[in-house]
Amino acid sequence: MVHWSAEEKQLIASVWAKVNVEQCGAEALARLLIVYPWTQRFFDNFGNLSSPTAIVGNPKVRAHGKKVLTSFGEAIKNLDNLKGTYSKLSELHCEKLHVDPENFRLLGDILVIVLAAHFTKDFTPACQATWQKLVGVVAHALAHKYH
Amino acid sequence: MLTAEDKKLIQQTWGKLGGAEEEIGAEALWRMFHSYPPTKTYFPHFDLSPGSDQIRCHGKKVVAALGNAIKNLDNLSQALSELSNLHAYNLRVDPVNFKASRERDGNGDRFLSQCLQVVLATRLGKEYSPEVHSAVDKFMSAVASVLAEKYR
């Protein structure tokens, strides 16, 4: 089980309280598809992904980004049981969606950059370290049921 | 592959840093040491406390090298040749530490690239657009490839 210090929990909560989940989720997913274009392979039915502008404006990307980040919010409510929280999602990503877990790490790093751009100097080194840890353990939990 | 547009964006972005390159280098290293503690194993001889002169100095070196690479985007291999030798034969830093996420191997992490990008994002905010983000990520990936070229 992952240990979270009081300071880490505080840094997670204080950042999360100010995150617009819909906006941030949409942006993170859009950036994933733009910066790592091969990830578009999972979204053939999303319509127009032909340019950064198209991707950012794509309503399916926005909706899915919101879904993904909402799920992330669940992780934050259950920091002491991430593997349990993500057990079903992990199975889904493996058995139905066939997503290489490397993609979770890519998205995690992108999320950190989105937060950095949003919070600018308030996204301190301590904040980043905590969030890098968080996205790392979320990625690990999502990969846990892979076989 | 860096497109002409990528190169333009990278040069423009670097131009916006307004002389803060030194601080940016130091901050990127500091963030790397905090987010990825194993990276400290390469600096046992450094004072790693806040405001350390050695971190500042080394950050400046790193950023100067990147700045030089940015002036020579059409020939990164040559521009970074000395550094490539240094990393391969002297420093032998495990490439995982500077590889960017485009490198697909079992341990494709991207510590310095990630931290540098976070610093740029905190300073540029919205200007660190998806297009800029993509260009910088590709650039750091290309730099990492060159640095790891002579490892074996």
Side-chain angles (χ1 to χ4, degrees):
Chain A
M1 203 181 85
V2 182
H3 173 74
W4 300 94
S5 70
E7 192 200 347
E8 285 171 333
K9 290 187 182 181
Q10 212 278 315
L11 284 170
I12 291 169
S14 65
V15 165
W16 193 248
K18 299 183 205 131
V19 164
N20 176 325
V21 170
E22 185 170 343
Q23 184 55 36
C24 193
E27 190 173 342
L29 186 63
R31 282 179 188 247
L32 181 74
L33 299 173
I34 292 166
V35 179
Y36 310 119
W38 57 88
T39 58
Q40 292 171 25
R41 71 191 295 280
F42 300 110
F43 303 102
D44 275 339
N45 62 339
F46 267 32
N48 187 4
L49 297 178
S50 60
S51 71
T53 310
I55 291 170
V56 165
N58 184 310
K60 286 190 173 177
V61 170
R62 299 192 69 83
H64 195 69
K66 177 182 176 183
K67 197 174 177 184
V68 168
L69 206 64
T70 301
S71 163
F72 202 85
E74 281 309 300
I76 291 178
K77 287 194 209 124
N78 292 281
L79 288 177
D80 295 329
N81 183 21
L82 285 172
K83 291 203 175 96
T85 303
Y86 278 134
S87 177
K88 287 273 177 287
L89 267 179
S90 182
E91 283 169 8
L92 178 76
H93 280 77
C94 171
E95 290 159 16
K96 293 272 155 46
L97 304 177
H98 310 292
V99 176
D100 179 345
E102 175 63 15
N103 291 284
F104 310 145
R105 291 180 261 279
L106 292 183
L107 183 60
D109 275 356
I110 293 224
L111 178 61
V112 168
I113 289 177
V114 168
L115 293 175
H118 184 75
F119 289 101
T120 61
K121 61 182 179 338
D122 289 339
F123 198 66
T124 60
C127 222
Q128 180 189 355
T130 300
W131 277 80
Q132 294 288 174
K133 178 178 169 180
L134 177 60
V135 300
V137 301
V138 166
H140 185 76
L142 271 173
H144 192 245
K145 282 289 166 67
Y146 271 60
H147 56 89
Chain B
M1 285 274 300
L2 289 173
T3 63
E5 182 63 22
D6 289 330
K7 291 178 186 178
K8 198 175 96 187
L9 283 174
I10 291 161
Q11 282 159 349
Q12 268 172 12
T13 301
W14 206 251
K16 287 185 186 162
L17 301 180
E21 286 88 348
E22 218 176 285
E23 283 159 45
I24 284 169
E27 191 182 333
L29 285 177
W30 179 258
R31 283 178 182 268
M32 188 182 74
F33 295 142
H34 280 265
S35 285
Y36 309 107
T39 57
K40 292 190 283 189
T41 60
Y42 291 98
F43 300 92
H45 52 302
F46 263 35
D47 162 22
L48 295 179
S49 60
S52 150
D53 274 337
Q54 284 176 307
I55 295 184
R56 174 159 286 274
C57 205
H58 196 69
K60 183 177 174 185
K61 265 194 213 171
V62 169
V63 159
L66 289 174
N68 182 44
I70 288 172
K71 291 200 192 101
N72 292 281
L73 289 171
D74 292 328
N75 198 352
L76 279 179
S77 241
Q78 195 165 344
L80 292 170
S81 174
E82 287 295 313
L83 274 177
S84 181
N85 288 333
L86 185 73
H87 283 74
Y89 305 124
N90 292 56
L91 303 176
R92 292 169 292 186
V93 174
D94 191 314
V96 86
N97 291 283
F98 47 75
K99 274 185 174 192
S101 31
R102 283 159 198 266
E103 307 296 307
R104 290 294 324 272
D105 68 17
N107 213 356
D109 271 330
R110 56 314 262 175
F111 309 139
L112 183 61
S113 172
Q114 174 72 0
C115 291
L116 179 70
Q117 290 195 58
V118 165
V119 174
L120 293 176
T122 59
R123 280 166 189 258
L124 297 172
K126 282 208 258 300
E127 286 183 325
Y128 203 69
S129 65
E131 292 87 338
V132 169
H133 178 168
S134 178
V136 172
D137 194 272
K138 283 166 87 172
F139 167 67
M140 291 302 286
S141 180
V143 167
S145 280
V146 169
L147 286 180
E149 233 165 44
K150 295 167 190 164
Y151 269 58
R152 54 177 174 169

